[in-house]
Amino acid sequence: AGRGLTAGVHVRRGDACERFGDEGDPTLRACYPAGAYAAALRRMRRTYGVQRVAVATDSPTVVGELRRLLPGFAVEALAFDRHRLGGAENATLGRRAPAAFIENRADLDARHALVTFLADLELLAAADVFVGTAGTTIGRVGLGVAAARTAGRPKFGFHTARDGAHDAHGQRVLLIQ
C-alpha cells in the first residue's frame, strides 16, 4: 500500500490535434494541454493515492511537460521514436486534416505503429486508474481492458473543460470532479 497507485495516461498531440482545448469547431479533433492532465492526476492522487504516472503518447514533449508539472510523482513512458507515429507535433492544428491522421497515412511504418500501440495499450491496461479522452481508440480500448481487469469498476477520468460535452466522435466526455 505504501507504493501508491499508478495512473495510465493517454495524451494525443501529433496527427490528431486539429484544435487545442475546447475552443473552436467542436467537430475537429481536440488535444489538451498537459496542465489539464496534471490537474486530473492531482485529483486522482487526493482521491485514490496515485503516485506513479505511466504515459502513453505520440508526443515527444508531453512526458517532460508532465514531469515538470507533477513534482512528487514518478512519471514514466516507454522509450520509442514518437516522431515516426505522430509526425510533427500539432501539425494539423487549426485545420481539418484527415489525410494526416494515423489511420490514413500512407507514409507510416505500420509495424512500428502496431507494436507501439500494443505496448502503450499494455502500459495503460496495467495501470490502476486511467486519465485520458474519449476521442481516441487507445483511450477507449485501454479503459475497456481496465474494466475487464477490475470486474467493471475501473477508476477513470475522461476529461474536458466542459462538463457533459461530446467530442468530435460523439463520445460522451466525463470529468472526474
Side-chain angles (χ1 to χ4, degrees):
R3 290 179 5 122
L5 299 179
T6 298
V9 180
H10 180 242
V11 181
R12 193 77 180 265
R13 286 271 183 88
D15 65 300
C17 248
E18 294 177 312
R19 66 185 168 100
F20 211 71
D22 291 316
E23 300 305 317
D25 183 348
T27 65
L28 297 177
R29 291 183 178 187
C31 293
Y32 297 91
Y37 295 91
L41 288 161
R42 285 189 288 273
R43 284 192 301 277
M44 292 288 201
R45 172 176 259 175
R46 286 190 305 272
T47 305
Y48 302 115
V50 168
Q51 293 182 8
R52 292 178 309 284
V53 179
V55 183
T57 184
D58 60 352
S59 168
T61 61
V62 163
V63 177
E65 290 174 20
L66 287 174
R67 284 183 178 137
R68 189 181 78 255
L69 292 167
L70 296 168
F73 285 80
V75 178
E76 300 174 353
L78 299 174
F80 62 86
D81 183 358
R82 288 172 170 76
H83 287 101
R84 288 177 61 190
L85 295 177
E89 190 150 329
N90 301 326
T92 59
L93 195 59
R95 61 190 179 94
R96 190 171 308 280
F101 298 160
I102 196 168
E103 63 267 25
N104 299 327
R105 286 183 37 211
D107 68 321
L108 189 68
D109 177 344
R111 180 175 291 159
H112 180 73
L114 178 61
V115 167
T116 57
F117 174 86
L118 293 173
D120 273 346
L121 182 58
E122 184 175 14
L123 181 79
L124 294 175
D128 302 297
V129 302
F130 176 79
V131 175
T133 65
T136 65
T137 300
I138 196 166
R140 291 188 300 262
V141 173
L143 181 60
V145 171
R149 189 174 54 77
T150 61
R153 297 180 304 277
K155 298 167 180 68
F156 67 94
F158 282 133
H159 76 271
T160 185
R162 294 185 184 147
D163 196 26
H166 290 78
D167 72 3
H169 303 285
Q171 297 291 318
R172 187 96 174 137
V173 181
L174 306 172
L175 173 62
I176 293 285
Q177 297 291 0

